[in-house]
Amino acid sequence: TKISDYSENSKLIYNYFSKKKISLNYSKRIISLMNRWGKFKARLNGSFYEEIKPPRGQFASKINDSQRTKVGKNSELGVRVESSPLTPEILIKLKSTMTEENYNWLYLSLWLGLRPTEVDNLMSETYYKIKYDQKIKTKYVEIYQSKLTALNEENRWKKIPLIFKEQQTIELVIKSKKFKRPLTKTLKKYSNDLNLTLYGGRKNFVDLCLDRNQDYLDIAAWMGHKDTKTTFKHYKRRDIIRFKPVKKVA
């Protein structure tokens, strides 16, 4: 692509960042360098250069969502691979091998489907609220999504109802502040070499909710996804088969 065509092809550039799972911040830095180079060449040639605008809205969200599923490299292939899902069964097995703080961090990640930074942010009441909804007679956690920089402040909050029995102690865990991010190498060590990372809990949250008969649109909202395609593409497990009873036809 010619330098003069950079701005015209900005969508192709955004899609490339998403495909390569490049973070939003790093994407903006690349665009900044491209713009500096474009201006330099334009001055030399005495021509006009139209800057590439940083990704916003759906493009920024798409880049963010693709980046969130990126983990460490496969030692043999040298490529990026996704985290294995952290299931309640695996979490129970890990309990005896981890500190209480590490276990509680994974517990919050699993039963709220949070991004690692969102779990960390629960240490401060600036980033979360626990409320009771009189209409649905249920407590819920309102969580600030600090990574969604493309959205307005008021649109960065998501609400997750505490409807499962396993979620009933979440408020106590959060308020105790007894949770701490474990090391990825610690997870791998104690999970029988599964490719388990800090996204493992979030990776299993969709199917965890589907197993409990929750609506797919609601689950996507709890995940903080604007588009359900993101939920399906990056977080719906392909190794699980489920279906609802078939109605009898007369």
Side-chain angles (χ1 to χ4, degrees):
T1 303
K2 295 180 181 180
I3 291 176
S4 58
D5 295 334
Y6 279 0
S7 181
E8 249 182 66
N9 292 286
S10 58
K11 291 182 180 180
L12 294 177
I13 295 171
Y14 302 154
N15 287 333
Y16 176 84
F17 293 151
S18 177
K19 182 179 179 181
K20 294 298 181 180
K21 297 184 183 292
I22 297 173
S23 72
L24 183 59
N25 285 337
Y26 196 59
S27 298
K28 290 178 179 179
R29 289 170 62 186
I30 294 174
I31 287 175
S32 177
L33 287 173
M34 292 174 72
N35 283 333
R36 288 169 64 184
W37 174 249
K39 289 177 182 178
F40 171 73
K41 293 293 289 184
R43 280 198 299 269
L44 290 180
N45 301 329
S47 58
F48 171 76
Y49 173 74
E50 184 177 354
E51 288 192 0
I52 313 166
K53 294 181 180 179
R56 295 179 180 177
Q58 62 176 343
F59 293 108
S61 296
K62 186 178 179 181
I63 292 171
N64 251 334
D65 288 328
S66 64
Q67 164 68 12
R68 286 181 206 116
T69 62
K70 186 175 73 173
V71 297
K73 286 187 176 181
N74 181 295
S75 58
E76 293 182 3
L77 302 178
V79 297
R80 297 286 180 177
V81 290
E82 294 185 352
S83 173
S84 299
L86 173 64
T87 66
E89 294 74 24
I90 293 175
L91 182 59
I92 290 172
K93 290 180 181 178
L94 288 174
K95 187 173 184 178
S96 62
T97 63
M98 312 189 80
T99 65
E100 179 184 5
E101 289 80 6
N102 285 169
Y103 171 82
N104 285 342
W105 192 98
L106 293 173
Y107 166 81
L108 293 172
S109 171
L110 174 64
W111 289 104
L112 290 175
L114 301 181
R115 306 173 180 99
T117 52
E118 291 172 352
V119 181
D120 295 338
N121 286 345
L122 291 175
M123 278 289 183
S124 170
E125 292 185 10
T126 302
Y127 294 101
Y128 82 90
K129 303 169 188 175
I130 298 179
K131 299 180 179 179
Y132 183 82
D133 191 302
Q134 291 287 350
K135 186 176 181 180
I136 61 175
K137 307 295 182 184
T138 302
K139 277 189 177 182
Y140 65 91
V141 184
E142 192 169 8
I143 297 172
Y144 184 75
Q145 303 173 90
S146 56
K147 292 194 72 172
L148 300 190
T149 55
L151 301 179
N152 295 329
E153 288 285 328
E154 62 271 17
N155 293 327
R156 295 182 196 175
W157 291 88
K158 62 180 177 181
K159 299 177 181 179
I160 306 173
L162 304 178
I163 53 178
F164 308 134
K165 65 177 182 180
E166 293 90 349
Q167 294 175 321
Q168 300 312 305
T169 56
I170 278 178
E171 182 176 4
L172 292 175
V173 173
I174 293 176
K175 290 185 175 180
S176 74
K177 298 187 184 300
K178 291 182 179 179
F179 54 92
K180 182 179 179 181
R181 179 191 289 225
L183 298 174
T184 300
K185 63 180 182 180
T186 302
L187 290 179
K188 189 170 183 180
K189 178 181 178 181
Y190 293 115
S191 60
N192 295 323
D193 284 331
L194 289 174
N195 187 44
L196 195 60
T197 76
L198 300 175
Y199 282 92
R202 182 169 171 81
K203 193 70 180 174
N204 195 47
F205 185 70
V206 171
D207 288 276
L208 205 62
C209 293
L210 288 174
D211 285 340
R212 288 160 176 74
N213 297 319
Q214 299 307 301
D215 187 90
Y216 200 73
L217 291 176
D218 291 329
I219 299 170
W222 303 339
M223 293 282 285
H225 292 156
K226 184 178 180 180
D227 191 341
T228 55
K229 291 180 181 178
T230 300
T231 312
F232 182 83
K233 181 178 180 181
H234 295 295
Y235 294 98
K236 173 69 181 68
R237 290 176 61 181
R238 306 296 193 273
D239 60 329
I240 294 180
I241 299 175
R242 63 168 57 79
F243 59 91
K244 294 182 178 179
V246 179
K247 293 183 179 180
K248 293 183 179 180
V249 180

